[in-house]
């Protein structure tokens, strides 16, 4: 049982400084495993989707149920307009970013609970961060599981570069689940076809972008983007999930096509 | 105002049901919107000091390093309210190396490392118990801290942020970038506690409180911009 790479790694970590990134990266020879390679992570938008009510949500729930025989799905939820309300009140009251992060988490929980109850008759559970160890069992048994989209950073949410709104919100939380667990895909369900050069709701001249790299996207330096900017930086460092898809969930069939690996919406890759 | 809200709910222009607020219908990713949120923050526990005790640098050295530190902390606790975070030390490094060899991702390594720092918090907490220091599990640290810190001279907890499987992959390799220094520092930020003092510097820094802040800042700055690649604090800071 001779494992020289491990010996070198252990002695470097134990005796050296972990903060010497380059040396550690050089010794890091083993590929990262995919923990749940068959699972797809689907994020359902808060403001863009759930806040539209049954008109938008019911057809998507039907489509998720139709896909249960073929695809495993981890379904995360966004926060939406109530988070904007509590951020507004919180900002006015002088709340720090970490407290705003807790408030955003609460709204994301509400949305996860609602989606969960709509899927409950199909035996699909909903989990909070502490229950993630049960996720593999639920996926094996029931093919899908609902979770809170917001990462549980709470008071430890890093401050943003601009302003005070938590920079790591539900897009980031769902993306990190797909990266850490080495999932099959990361699909963001929104109410627009995908990425545009500007917010198409405000700017009629906004142009649709079907496919773009993270570097190209950063170079464009758009005033407004469809996903949290932290996702792009994380994608560049990712070991597993280096592409994400943004789709219009209001169009029936888009989710199914995305799950089947078809190009629909915008593909962003690193 | 009330009428306006009712109107918004009854006629949703874009098909989304909104709640009237400053950020209503705004994209939180719009840089102008983000800038508009830059407003003053209330201090939560301005009378507390945060101290991070190193795992490998202090605790792993056993009684010769820890006992004198406990004595110092005991004296400080008579005057100051202390929030103490601990590092994971050599066991965190060992579990990281085994985890990396097994191909586990950054998020899993972060989850594993939390456990070592928690063990160290229990040990140091035991030694500080005679001084009234309370060890707090990380799940309730945030919300119960004001209660405990009003009732006890100090609290102790693991220094890691609770990122766990939501830890972010680093630029190089896969060692979790937000470890116990970063976690303690983030907690300090939100609670608006006083400065984070690395290890032994705490007594000197706390005693000379008037210069404490600038000294702490100089410490971080020097090591962030210093020439060496190996830093005494998490690079993510």
């Amino acid at each position: 049982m001779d494992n020289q790479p491990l010996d070198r790694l252990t002695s470097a970590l134990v005796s050296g400084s972990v903060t010497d990134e380059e040396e550690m990266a050089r010794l890091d020879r083993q590929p990262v495993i995919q923990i749940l390679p068959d699972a797809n992570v689907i994020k359902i938008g808060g403001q863009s989707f759930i806040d539209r009510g049954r008109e938008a949500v019911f057809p998507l729930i039907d489509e998720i149920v139709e896909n249960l025989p073929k695809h495993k799905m981890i379904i995360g939820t966004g926060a939406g307009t109530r988070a904007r309300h509590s951020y507004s009140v919180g900002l006015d009251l002088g709340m720090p970013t970490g407290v705003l992060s807790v408030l955003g988490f609460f709204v994301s929980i509400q949305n996860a609970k609602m989606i969960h109850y709509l899927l409950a008759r199909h035996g699909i559970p909903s989990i909070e961060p502490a229950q993630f160890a049960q996720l593999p069992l639920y996926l094996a048994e029931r093919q899908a599981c609902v979770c809170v989209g917001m990462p549980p950073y709470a008071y430890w949410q890093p401050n943003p570069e601009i302003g005070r709104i938590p920079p790591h919100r539900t897009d980031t939380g769902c993306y990190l689940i797909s990266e850490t667990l080495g999932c099959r895909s990361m699909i963001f369900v929104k109410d627009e076809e995908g990425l545009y050069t500007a917010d198409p709701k405000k700017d009629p001249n906004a142009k649709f972008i079907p496919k773009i790299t993270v570097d190209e996207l950063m170079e464009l330096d758009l005033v407004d983007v469809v996903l949290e900017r932290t996702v792009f930086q994380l994608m560049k460092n990712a070991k597993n999930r280096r592409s994400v898809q943004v789709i219009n969930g209001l169009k029936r069939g888009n989710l199914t096509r995305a799950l089947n690996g078809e190009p629909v919406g915008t593909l962003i890759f690193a | 105002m009330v009428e306006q809200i009712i109107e918004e709910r009854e006629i949703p222009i874009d098909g989304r049901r909104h709640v009237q607020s400053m950020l209503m219908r705004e994209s939180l990713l719009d840089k102008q919107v983000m800038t508009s949120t830059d407003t003053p923050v209330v201090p939560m526990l301005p009378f507390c000091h945060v101290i991070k005790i190193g795992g490998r640098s202090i605790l792993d050295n056993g009684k010769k390093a820890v006992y004198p530190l406990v004595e110092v902390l005991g004296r400080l606790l008579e005057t100051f309210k202390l929030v103490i975070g601990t590092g994971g030390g050599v066991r965190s490094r060992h579990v990281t190396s085994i985890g990396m060899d097994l191909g586990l991702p950054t998020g899993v390594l972060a989850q594993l490392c939390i456990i070592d720092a928690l063990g160290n918090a229990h040990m140091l907490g035991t030694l500080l118990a005679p001084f009234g220091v309370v060890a707090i599990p990380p799940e309730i640290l945030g919300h119960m801290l004001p209660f405990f810190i009003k009732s006890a001279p100090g609290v102790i907890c693991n220094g890691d942020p609770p990122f766990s499987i939501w830890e972010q992959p680093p630029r190089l390799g896969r060692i979790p970038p937000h470890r116990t220094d970063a976690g303690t520092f983030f907690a300090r930020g939100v609670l608006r506690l006083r400065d984070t003092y690395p290890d032994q510097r705490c007594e000197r820094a706390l005693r000379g409180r008037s210069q404490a802040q600038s000294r702490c800042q100089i410490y971080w700055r020097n090591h962030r911009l210093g020439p060496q690649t190996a830093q005494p604090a998490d690079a993510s800071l």
Side-chain angles (χ1 to χ4, degrees), chain B residues 166-185:
Chain B
W166 288 268
E167 171 63 300
Q168 304 162 6
R171 187 176 62 87
L172 282 172
R174 67 178 121 154
I175 294 173
H178 302 100
R179 297 188 298 277
T180 51
D181 297 337
T184 317
F185 191 74

Side-chain angles (χ1 to χ4, degrees), chain A residues 3 6 9-10 13-22 24-25 28 30-33 35 47-48 51-52 55 81-82 84-85 87-88 91 93-96 98-99 102 129 132 151-153 155-156 158 162-165 168-169 173 176-177 179-180 191 201-202 221-229 234 237-239, chain B residues 14-31 34-35 37-42 44 56 90 93-94 96-98 100-105 107-108 138 141-143 159-163 165-175 179 183-184 186-187 190-191 229-235:
Chain A
N3 190 344
L6 174 59
L9 187 63
T10 307
L13 276 164
V14 169
S15 60
S17 172
V18 183
T19 43
D20 186 352
E21 273 189 335
E22 280 174 30
M24 286 306 138
D28 185 4
Q30 307 302 340
V32 175
I33 60 161
I35 295 171
Q47 172 161 265
S48 62
D51 288 347
R52 290 174 175 274
E55 201 186 354
T81 198
R82 293 189 305 289
R84 283 163 177 75
H85 182 264
Y87 292 154
S88 299
L91 285 166
L93 294 175
M95 296 295 119
V99 173
V102 173
F132 260 68
Y153 289 1
Y155 285 10
W156 290 263
I162 313 174
R164 196 128 52 83
I165 306 280
H168 305 94
R169 300 190 300 275
L176 283 169
I177 293 170
E179 158 64 10
T180 298
D191 63 349
K201 288 190 179 58
K202 293 175 190 161
D221 192 27
L222 302 172
V223 174
D224 196 4
V225 281
V226 73
L227 293 179
E228 289 156 26
R229 290 185 177 84
L234 293 171
N237 297 344
K239 300 293 182 292
Chain B
D14 55 5
R16 300 159 161 184
R17 273 71 177 173
H18 295 281
V19 181
Q20 182 78 40
S21 76
M22 185 184 86
L23 297 170
M24 184 181 81
R25 237 185 246 120
E26 292 291 359
S27 161
L28 298 181
L29 302 159
D30 187 311
K31 286 180 183 168
M34 288 163 74
T35 307
T37 64
D38 215 347
T39 45
V41 176
V42 290
M44 217 168 143
R56 196 175 54 151
V90 84
R93 288 149 204 263
H94 181 262
T96 300
S97 73
I98 302 288
M100 281 164 78
D101 195 58
L102 295 176
L104 297 172
V108 173
L141 175 74
H143 301 93
D160 315 79
F163 289 8
I165 62 168
W166 288 268
E167 171 63 300
Q168 304 162 6
R171 187 176 62 87
L172 282 172
R174 67 178 121 154
I175 294 173
R179 297 188 298 277
T184 317
F186 288 156
V190 74
L191 301 167
T229 44
Q231 301 173 344
D234 295 356

Side-chain angles (χ1 to χ4, degrees), chain B residues 67-147:
Chain B
Y67 278 21
L69 181 74
V70 167
E71 235 173 80
V72 172
L73 288 172
R75 277 202 305 278
L76 289 171
L77 286 161
E78 291 167 13
T79 327
F80 301 106
K81 294 280 189 183
L82 304 183
V83 177
I84 303 163
T86 53
V90 84
R91 295 190 303 283
S92 274
R93 288 149 204 263
H94 181 262
V95 78
T96 300
S97 73
I98 302 288
M100 281 164 78
D101 195 58
L102 295 176
L104 297 172
T106 302
V108 173
L109 301 177
Q111 196 176 25
L112 296 169
C113 287
I114 289 175
I115 299 164
D116 296 309
L118 209 49
N120 283 342
H122 273 272
M123 283 198 272
L124 193 58
T126 304
L127 295 172
L128 291 170
F131 305 98
V133 170
V134 187
I136 301 185
E139 310 86 63
I140 62 161
L141 175 74
H143 301 93
M144 297 300 277
L145 189 54
F147 167 71

Side-chain angles (χ1 to χ4, degrees), chain A residues 182-193:
Chain A
C183 295
R184 180 173 168 264
S185 70
M186 175 69 241
I187 302 165
F188 292 94
V189 178
K190 308 243 172 187
D191 63 349
E192 295 292 352
E193 293 306 313

